[in-house]
Amino acid sequence: MTTPTEVTRPHGRVRIDSYLDGGGERSLADDVLDGLTRPFKELPPKHFYDARGAELFDRICELPEYYPTRTERAILRERADEIAAETGAAELVELGSGTAAKTRVLLDALESAGTLRRYIPLDVTESMVRMSAETLVREYPDLAVHGVVGDFERHLNEVPEPLGPRIVAFLGGTIGNFPPGSRRRFLRQIARLLGPEDFLLMGTDLVKDPGVLEAAYDDAQGVTAEFNRNVLHVLNRELDADFDPEGFEHVALFDERHEWIEMRLRARRAQTATVRALDMTVDFDAGEELRTEISAKFTLERATGDLAAAGLELVHWLTDADEMFALSLSRLRG
Ligand code: SAH
Ligand code: TRP
């Protein structure tokens, strides 16, 4: 455990621990040094989510083409009472919690079951953790919220000790944003947050028609394109760089062999950007691509295999009638 750089207690029932001060920018600098000097340029997706990126992502969730959010919410509505009964959870830990919009469905069910005591959102976007914490304590008069502002790849150890049986929720298909090897390693780290009475509730987008998948990551209004280009705005601001976001085209394609979506930014023309904070220049050929995200799609077999590799066993596989999206409830293998 490290000491949070900042602890705030805006109300009696809210506590926010922040671990990002400075460290966040250092990791951006490292990721840029590493990722933009590779033979195939690449940046990790966590840098999309500054305040503007988080807002754009919220708009993505409402788009007609982006079915995962509404499908996952529908499955949760259908099955939340069952999940509450099965887990008897006193607390909900949520990784990559964002606005915690769908989380309310779970909190409602746990509150009705009479077991709920605490919610622990963990996200890199500080404004989101603060806002959701303040809103939720108002909506749930008996709930304590302990927010953690941090990087789930670095700060899982900062999740507070459990008050009782817990659900660790990892929604939105965010697990798909890890490449397969890192995905299993990350699941092993999550498993360390679980005791014998605890459960992992994980959302996974499912393999389906490539046209449907590609549209979900390349909407007609161009919101996803803007979200993708936002990472360049983040670099310009945080690292005093001069990327021309409009000089890059948004690309989303389904890789059928790996069964994942890849998002890229393709240089519309040859160009050079300067990253002043790192004293570095980055050259792009015309048509050269920078990979900004993968979003792996799952089958029951893939999800079960990944969970098993982390010492977890599937308890329920919850899916919609069209099998667009699935939630898995799993626990440590007995
Ligand atoms: N759970 C929400 C949001 C999913 S989007 C939903 O299902 O709609 C992914 C979320 O994970 C964003 O809120 C983003 O800020 C957060 N995130 C991405 N990378 C992260 C990281 N490395 N550490 C912590 N949070 C991260
Ligand atoms: N976890 C989400 C997913 O993979 C993140 C996401 C959705 C996303 N749409 C996006 C990330 C567009 C970048 C761009 O589905």
Side-chain angles (χ1 to χ4, degrees):
M1 300 274 265
T2 54
T3 315
T5 51
E6 194 198 344
V7 178
T8 49
R9 297 171 188 279
H11 308 291
R13 284 182 291 120
V14 180
R15 167 181 171 153
I16 310 272
D17 294 350
S18 178
Y19 294 90
L20 279 191
D21 204 51
E25 282 153 53
R26 221 174 311 125
S27 103
L28 177 64
D30 289 347
D31 290 340
V32 167
L33 269 174
D34 183 31
L36 295 190
T37 57
R38 289 184 187 180
F40 192 130
K41 296 183 177 65
E42 180 168 28
L43 283 173
K46 68 180 171 216
H47 305 301
F48 283 128
Y49 300 94
D50 64 346
R52 176 169 181 266
E55 258 168 54
L56 286 166
F57 184 73
D58 249 27
R59 285 176 56 201
I60 290 176
C61 292
E62 306 288 318
L63 292 169
E65 295 94 336
Y66 196 70
Y67 60 86
T69 305
R70 60 175 175 273
T71 312
E72 187 177 42
R73 188 190 299 121
I75 301 169
L76 279 171
R77 285 209 178 112
E78 191 100 344
R79 312 299 286 266
D81 287 335
E82 202 181 310
I83 295 168
E86 176 104 36
T87 61
E91 63 180 23
L92 181 64
V93 178
E94 184 172 14
L95 308 178
S97 45
T99 55
K102 286 168 285 189
T103 312
R104 285 167 172 77
V105 181
L106 276 173
L107 293 173
D108 286 345
L110 293 168
E111 190 185 46
S112 306
T115 56
L116 180 66
R117 293 172 61 192
R118 184 167 65 163
Y119 175 53
I120 303 171
L122 186 159
D123 204 284
V124 269
T125 311
E126 167 147 20
S127 56
M128 289 287 168
V129 175
R130 286 189 188 279
M131 209 161 52
S132 58
E134 310 243 335
T135 318
L136 288 169
V137 287
R138 277 200 297 273
E139 290 175 19
Y140 298 85
D142 298 320
L143 184 69
V145 179
H146 186 152
V148 180
V149 180
D151 180 341
F152 50 52
E153 294 192 70
R154 292 189 295 145
H155 300 119
L156 277 193
N157 287 335
E158 316 300 347
V159 171
E161 288 301 307
L163 292 177
R166 68 167 37 151
I167 298 173
V168 175
F170 194 26
L171 305 180
T174 306
I175 187 66
N177 301 141
F178 289 86
S182 319
R183 181 162 85 217
R184 290 189 169 190
R185 198 174 52 190
F186 187 62
L187 284 171
R188 276 202 297 278
Q189 288 165 10
I190 292 179
R192 289 211 292 268
L193 292 176
L194 303 178
E197 307 209 299
D198 302 338
F199 291 83
L200 170 64
L201 181 67
M202 182 168 72
T204 43
D205 194 16
L206 301 179
V207 173
K208 62 181 65 62
D209 176 62
V212 174
L213 284 168
E214 286 176 358
Y217 293 84
D218 191 7
D219 63 281
Q221 292 173 55
V223 181
T224 308
E226 202 46 41
F227 179 78
N228 196 8
R229 283 193 281 264
N230 189 53
V231 76
L232 299 179
H233 290 283
V234 171
L235 300 190
N236 287 349
R237 187 187 60 235
E238 299 294 328
L239 298 175
D240 198 12
D242 64 357
F243 290 90
D244 170 20
E246 296 312 313
F248 291 82
E249 180 189 354
H250 168 69
V251 178
L253 45 93
F254 185 57
D255 177 331
E256 303 224 20
R257 183 160 71 94
H258 295 108
E259 296 186 313
W260 65 46
I261 285 277
E262 260 189 59
M263 290 216 321
R264 302 175 180 178
L265 290 168
R266 180 186 293 151
R268 295 187 202 270
R269 47 182 160 73
Q271 50 196 293
T272 299
T274 304
V275 186
R276 275 182 289 270
L278 298 175
D279 212 355
M280 125 193 224
T281 57
V282 188
D283 296 318
F284 290 88
D285 296 331
E288 186 176 345
E289 294 174 333
L290 157 64
R291 179 164 47 220
T292 51
E293 179 167 85
I294 67 159
S295 183
K297 304 308 162 191
F298 289 78
T299 55
L300 172 59
E301 294 66 36
R302 179 166 291 145
T304 315
D306 287 343
L307 291 169
L312 298 167
E313 68 181 3
L314 189 65
V315 180
H316 291 300
W317 179 251
L318 313 170
T319 180
D320 56 299
D322 299 325
E323 304 206 5
M324 300 284 273
F325 196 92
L327 278 162
S328 57
L329 188 69
S330 59
R331 65 180 161 218
L332 292 179
R333 199 163 40 226

